[in-house]
Amino acid sequence: MNEITGKILQKQQKEYQKLYTLLLELIGYDNEWLTTEAGLNKYNKKELVEIILHQRSLMKKLFEELDEEKQTKLKVKIESALWEVLNKK
C-alpha cells in the first residue's frame, strides 16, 4: 500500500469512528460511549461543527420517522422546555 492510499484509509477510518460514536450517542447507548468533555476538547473547531451538523441531520431524520401525533407531542414538549429555560428569571 502506498503512502497516499494509507492516508486516505486512515482518514476514512477516523471518519467512520466519529460517525459510529455519534450514532451510539444519539441512540442513548451506555454512558461508556458518550463523549466526555476531555474527548470533545481533542477536536478542533471544524470537527466540532461537523459533529453538530451530523447530530442535527440524524435527529431530523429520526423526527421525520415519527408519526404525526408523536411529532406534535414532541414539539409541544420541546417548546415547553425551551420556554422554561428562555423565561427563567
Side-chain angles (χ1 to χ4, degrees):
M1 179 170 17
N2 65 33
E3 186 177 332
I4 295 172
T5 305
K7 286 181 180 182
I8 292 171
L9 179 61
Q10 189 176 25
K11 184 177 179 179
Q12 287 177 336
Q13 287 174 329
K14 185 177 178 182
E15 182 66 22
Y16 169 82
Q17 188 60 43
K18 283 194 297 188
L19 290 173
Y20 180 75
T21 301
L22 173 64
L23 178 62
L24 291 176
E25 287 180 8
L26 284 173
I27 61 173
Y29 211 77
D30 293 336
N31 284 341
E32 66 192 51
W33 288 103
L34 297 176
T35 304
T36 61
E37 185 176 344
L40 290 171
N41 284 328
K42 293 178 184 177
Y43 294 110
N44 63 38
K45 185 176 178 178
K46 182 180 178 184
E47 290 171 324
L48 290 171
V49 169
E50 286 178 21
I51 290 170
I52 291 168
L53 293 176
H54 280 295
Q55 288 174 339
R56 281 186 192 170
S57 175
L58 288 172
M59 285 188 291
K60 184 172 178 138
K61 286 178 185 174
L62 290 172
F63 181 78
E64 290 170 352
E65 291 291 320
L66 298 173
D67 61 52
E68 194 172 325
E69 181 182 343
K70 288 182 181 179
Q71 284 184 6
T72 303
K73 286 180 180 179
L74 185 56
K75 284 179 187 178
V76 169
K77 208 179 229 186
I78 291 170
E79 287 170 357
S80 66
L82 290 174
W83 180 259
E84 289 176 21
V85 171
L86 294 173
N87 292 299
K88 202 176 217 181
K89 292 181 181 182

